[in-house]
Structure formats: C-alpha cells, structure tokens
Amino acid sequence: MRQLPETDRDAIRIAQDPQFTRWLEQVTAIGGCSHPVHLSGSTITLDGTTGEIIQHYDTRTEPGERLLVRCRNRRATVCAPCSRLHAGDTFHLVRAGLLGGKNVPANVRHRPRLFVTLTAPSFGAVHGAGEHCRPRRDQAECDHGRSLGCGAVHGATDPLVGQPLCADCYDYTGHVLWHSHASKLWDRFVIDVRRRLATSVGLVQSRFAQHARLSFARVAEYQKRAAVHVHAVVRLDGPNGPDDEPPAWGTAELLTDAVHASARRVLVRTSHSPAVGELALRWGAQIDARPLRADGDGPDDDAVAAYVAKYVTKGAGETGAGTDYPLTTWGDIESAPVSEHVRTLMRTCWHLGGLPEYEPLRLRAWAHTLGYRGHILTKSRAYSTTYAALRAERAHHMGHAYMPDAVTERQWRYVGSGHTPGAALIASGIAADLAASREAAREAAGDFAGGALGAG
C-alpha cells in the first residue's frame, strides 16, 4: 500500500469504508460534482394542521455526518458536471423565450424576434486568422517602428491571433474602460430601441410600455482580442409580455431598423480623469441583427439557444481572456497564466483602479475579467422562465414534491468543500460515466441540436 500513489491509497480507503455505498449514492446524485459543498444539519417537515412529522432527515446517519451538494459553478474549467447542468438550464431558459414552454405560450415563436450581435470598437490593429492577416503593398511602420501590416496566414489556434501588431499603439485604457461600461452601454441601447420604436410609429416615447414590451436574453463573449461582444435574442411582445400579442405595427423589419439605429447612436461617457480625460464609448462598427422566423428561414431556434448555453459555461482558460479567479495583488497579475496582451489589460485595470475618479468601477476587483463587470448571461424579466424555477422543476421531477400545507424547519451549517484526492478520482469517473450515458441517450433519440451558431 505504501508504494501506491496517495490518490490510489485514498481511493482504496474510501472504497473500504462501511458507508461507501451511501457515499457513492451522494456523489452520483450530484452528478460527480468536482468541488461539492459539505453541509451538516437536519430538515423536519411537519403537517401544518396536525403538527405530525411527515419527513425527517438528519446528516448524523450519513458518511462523515455530512451531505454533499453541488457547487453550481457555471465554468467547465472549474466543475464540468455542474457546468453541463447550468448549460442545460440556460438552453431551456433561452429556448422557452424562442419557442414557448416553461409557462411561456408557444405563440411567441411567431413574434418579431432577432438574434443580435454587437461588438466592441477597435482599440488597435490585431492579428487575425484566415487568409493573409493584414496585407499591405507598402512597408509602412507605426510611430514605434513596427510594421503596420502582416502577410502571414494564421491558423485559428495560432497564439498570435488577437494580439496587437504594436502593443505601444494599442489603446489599453480605452479597452478596459469600455469593458467597465459595457453593461451600461447595453442598458442605454435597450432604452433607445424602445424610444425609436415608439417614435417610428408616432407614439409618445413615455407611452411605449402601454402598447408593446421589448424582451431579451443576452450573453457576453470574449473575442480573440480579449474584447467582449454581445449576442442577444430580442423579442417584441404586447404590453403584458409573452401572454400578449404585439401591436400590428410591430414587425421584425421595424425592430431590425431600430436595433441598427440605436447601436450606432448610443454612447456612454466616462468620468473625467486628469490622466485620461473623458471618453465617449460606443459599440463597434460590426452590427448584426438576423430575424428568427418560425418558417425556418433564418437561424435555427434550437441552435441559437444551444450557442448561448455553450458559451455561458466557458471559463477564462477557454476564451483566453482573464482568469477564473480574482487577482488580489500585483504579483497575482504577473504570475497569471495568460498572454502578454491580456496581462497588459490586467495591469491597466490595476493602474486605473488606483485613480480616485475610477474608484466606483472597482477595476482592481475586476482585473481578472479585464474590467468587465456584467454577468455573462442577463435577461429581461418577461423574456422567459428563471434559473430558480428550473431548479424547482428539477427537484419536483426528482421526487421532492412541494406540500403547500407543510411547515419545514431547517438547521444547516457549512462544514467544508471539495474532495480528497481519492474521492476526486472516483467522482471524476462517475461524472464521465454519466456524461457518456447522456450522450448515448441523445444519439439514440436523434437529438443533435446544440451545434454552435457561426455568429462571430
């Protein structure tokens, strides 16, 4: 035994435990979660009328006197099993807003709907993938003596893709400040779309909500140049949301025109800084708004939902932008496993975060996301269901029925998290088996929805 690696010795110890079978049931129930939360406590469910005990659960009979629950981390690089669950929830959340279901009427698929892509502006020339990167006939150089062109052909995995041709010319300050205001820019964009729709049909802007409602779900994605761009499903409903038909004037063409006009018009101004000045931040020139049509003429609804769900689970390691963990010191930035381009963006966050005029942006706290402070996925209230509702539905499906007249008393406390080396090995095997079973079931059912949408 002593000659075996520590992981193997620990796995054997766990397998020899009298309560191994119950521990295995717990790990399987949480899908082989890579970093489970350990809880200790009890739950008692009483009949609200008679006071009779209906259910009683206590962790004192469990292995180690604790219950394992999912970490619920959305990033595949942190916990693949929980990220798959989160991706599934995201798929159904977005799909319900496109096709109905989950308490959303099926006729939403006949509403004006767009798949919108908004990009960040250019902060400087970067290397691109595909054909010749940046061909030039002349041998022009920038002020720093570096070539303004690149005749190489970069593959998609080439580490140069997305890196600046000249780091000294690149606007790192503008990049970071744009990230920190991107969510506000989106809010302004949505407000302006509503106003433009109202104006285009002769309505007073303040009364738009009495005639129609704009619903959306959006996801933020890091491009190769480490700049965020936004994909969004935008839908036009009646004033009461998905249960209400939009007015006769509400068409996909009108909505498309409003999206393009607002994306070109809206801006957000930064606070004035003696070191930087005041910046006017806008969306990039590349704007795409594709109608989603019920007759199949356009992007497929399931593919759109799957594309959004797939990106939501990506970690920073997969996108090449930032890290999955906060950076608390300058040394953390210097030791982060990122490209020099991304490291410079982190350094810029740290420098700007030390200026009093940018203190509300909390740039140092968000240096690991390169200044971007928004959630990866956001949606309007009336777009579709919620993650909480999907979790409740899953719990009901697993037999955790809701009893309206019952009174539940809970006493729980946190006692730890994660796995020992041997437990982690066993859990990863369980997660792999469950994933293989799901894939086999999907293939048997002929469900191949979920291909990535080539939208940037």
Side-chain angles (χ1 to χ4, degrees):
M1 281 285 287
R2 293 180 181 178
Q3 296 179 351
L4 293 175
E6 178 188 358
T7 299
D8 293 344
R9 293 201 306 271
D10 188 43
I12 293 172
R13 177 189 62 79
I14 294 172
Q16 291 176 337
D17 190 285
Q19 290 186 297
F20 173 67
T21 301
R22 174 55 188 158
W23 178 85
L24 211 58
E25 290 175 354
Q26 282 201 32
V27 176
T28 303
I30 60 174
C33 173
S34 302
H35 198 76
V37 176
H38 301 201
L39 300 178
S40 176
S42 62
T43 297
I44 301 176
T45 303
L46 308 172
D47 187 299
T49 304
T50 65
E52 178 185 359
I53 296 178
I54 301 173
Q55 290 179 348
H56 177 232
Y57 173 80
D58 197 306
T59 58
R60 284 181 292 183
T61 61
E62 297 286 5
E65 297 188 3
R66 57 187 61 191
L67 176 68
L68 305 183
V69 299
R70 286 181 177 271
C71 67
R72 292 184 181 176
N73 196 296
R74 68 169 182 83
R75 294 182 176 91
T77 52
V78 177
C79 182
C82 287
S83 75
R84 279 193 292 267
L85 189 67
H86 188 77
D89 285 348
T90 302
F91 174 81
H92 288 293
L93 184 151
V94 176
R95 188 179 189 274
L98 289 169
L99 299 173
K102 312 297 181 185
N103 297 322
V104 179
N107 58 2
V108 295
R109 68 177 305 177
H110 300 291
R111 308 274 172 84
R113 304 168 306 153
L114 303 179
F115 185 63
V116 177
T117 299
L118 303 175
T119 61
S122 174
F123 304 106
V126 299
H127 292 277
E131 297 183 359
H132 292 286
C133 179
R134 287 183 173 270
R136 292 183 67 95
R137 292 182 178 178
D138 57 19
Q139 298 297 320
E141 295 181 342
C142 69
D143 294 340
H144 305 97
R146 297 184 180 91
S147 175
L148 294 174
C150 175
V153 178
H154 303 298
T157 58
D158 190 325
L160 269 180
V161 174
Q163 306 301 301
L165 269 68
C166 176
D168 293 320
C169 290
Y170 196 86
D171 185 9
Y172 284 100
T173 296
H175 188 146
V176 165
L177 291 177
W178 191 90
H179 268 181
S180 65
H181 291 81
S183 294
K184 183 180 289 188
L185 191 60
W186 170 261
D187 293 340
R188 296 269 179 91
F189 164 74
V190 172
I191 292 170
D192 198 72
V193 170
R194 295 191 186 104
R195 290 174 175 172
R196 287 191 170 275
L197 287 172
T199 301
S200 64
V201 295
L203 293 176
V204 177
Q205 293 179 1
S206 60
R207 297 190 177 182
F208 174 79
Q210 299 174 15
H211 298 267
R213 180 191 288 257
L214 196 67
S215 299
F216 66 86
R218 74 162 176 99
V219 63
E221 178 180 2
Y222 285 88
Q223 297 170 294
K224 287 288 188 179
R225 59 187 173 126
V228 163
H229 67 174
V230 170
H231 297 298
V233 176
V234 179
R235 190 185 71 226
L236 191 63
D237 297 320
N240 296 318
D243 294 321
D244 206 357
E245 290 296 326
W249 52 258
T251 64
E253 291 73 21
L254 189 71
L255 183 56
T256 301
D257 291 342
V259 164
H260 278 281
S262 295
R264 288 191 295 265
R265 177 179 181 275
V266 296
L267 63 84
V268 172
R269 297 189 183 278
T270 66
S271 300
H272 181 270
S273 167
V276 178
E278 181 186 83
L279 304 184
L281 307 174
R282 301 177 181 271
W283 295 109
Q286 293 180 315
I287 302 165
D288 187 29
R290 286 188 263 177
L292 299 169
R293 305 189 188 281
D295 58 11
D297 183 16
D300 180 78
D301 293 325
D302 278 350
V304 170
Y307 178 80
V308 172
K310 182 179 180 180
Y311 185 77
V312 162
T313 64
K314 286 186 178 180
E318 293 175 275
T319 61
T323 63
D324 289 329
Y325 52 88
L327 306 170
T328 57
T329 66
W330 181 264
D332 289 344
I333 295 176
E334 296 305 307
S335 61
V338 296
S339 68
E340 190 59 27
H341 174 55
V342 171
R343 196 183 317 280
T344 304
L345 286 166
M346 292 176 172
R347 291 170 181 152
T348 304
C349 285
W350 200 265
H351 286 306
L352 295 177
L355 301 178
E357 56 269 27
Y358 295 137
E359 185 177 353
L361 301 179
R362 302 182 64 236
L363 289 171
R364 291 188 173 182
W366 294 100
H368 65 297
T369 59
L370 316 184
Y372 180 71
R373 299 183 297 148
H375 291 288
I376 292 297
L377 177 76
T378 57
K379 74 175 191 68
S380 59
R381 185 183 299 272
Y383 174 76
S384 68
T385 185
T386 63
Y387 283 118
L390 291 171
R391 287 195 292 268
E393 184 179 340
R394 182 163 54 249
H396 178 74
H397 175 73
M398 295 175 66
H400 305 307
Y402 170 68
M403 293 174 282
D405 297 327
V407 177
T408 302
E409 298 177 358
R410 300 181 179 89
Q411 293 183 339
W412 293 95
R413 63 188 180 91
Y414 169 83
V415 293
S417 61
H419 286 301
T420 62
L425 178 66
I426 298 172
S428 65
I430 292 173
D433 289 343
L434 292 174
S437 297
R438 279 191 297 270
E439 187 62 30
R442 229 183 339 257
E443 291 180 1
D447 179 13
F448 296 103
L453 188 72

